[in-house]
Amino acid sequence: MELPDLSPYLGQVTFGGLAGYAVGYALKKVGRLLAVALGLLFVAVQLLAQAGYIQVDWTRIQRDVEPLLRQPGLQSLWERLLTTLTYNLPFGASFVGGLILGLRAG
């Protein structure tokens, strides 16, 4: 039994893996920076509220934000992302693998 020639896919797999790794690494760095910024913002708001400079209506914020998180667009975002990434399967599969490695390395 002869194995199929996979050389046409080698470039796609290589590029997909490298691109996925770069995106995963960058996402982790940006995500970490965003988490720190949001955390500092929350602490600043709490300090200002405790000092009496501002008053935060957390119930209203929760009421306004919850419907945004339940929108069908957000629920199908993951499905659309997977469809896009697996459109060209050799590239998509190596991209997802590289993305996971980049997220772990970042």
Side-chain angles (χ1 to χ4, degrees), residues 37-51:
L38 287 175
L40 290 174
L41 178 65
F42 177 75
V43 169
V45 167
Q46 289 296 88
L47 288 172
L48 291 171
Q50 184 183 15

Side-chain angles (χ1 to χ4, degrees), residues 5-74:
D5 181 24
L6 299 177
S7 60
Y9 301 111
L10 185 60
Q12 290 182 14
V13 170
T14 303
F15 180 72
L18 290 174
Y21 183 86
V23 169
Y25 189 85
L27 277 176
K28 188 161 185 184
K29 294 297 181 183
V30 169
R32 188 175 291 156
L33 181 66
L34 184 62
V36 169
L38 287 175
L40 290 174
L41 178 65
F42 177 75
V43 169
V45 167
Q46 289 296 88
L47 288 172
L48 291 171
Q50 184 183 15
Y53 290 108
I54 63 172
Q55 185 175 359
V56 180
D57 186 358
W58 292 111
T59 306
R60 182 175 177 191
I61 292 173
Q62 181 180 359
R63 185 180 66 234
D64 291 346
V65 169
E66 276 186 353
L68 298 174
L69 298 176
R70 292 186 184 155
Q71 287 182 352
L74 288 177

Side-chain angles (χ1 to χ4, degrees), residues 12-28 85-86 89-106:
Q12 290 182 14
V13 170
T14 303
F15 180 72
L18 290 174
Y21 183 86
V23 169
Y25 189 85
L27 277 176
K28 188 161 185 184
L85 292 178
T86 57
L89 193 55
F91 174 82
S94 61
F95 182 88
V96 171
L99 179 71
I100 291 168
L101 290 174
L103 287 171
R104 291 192 63 154

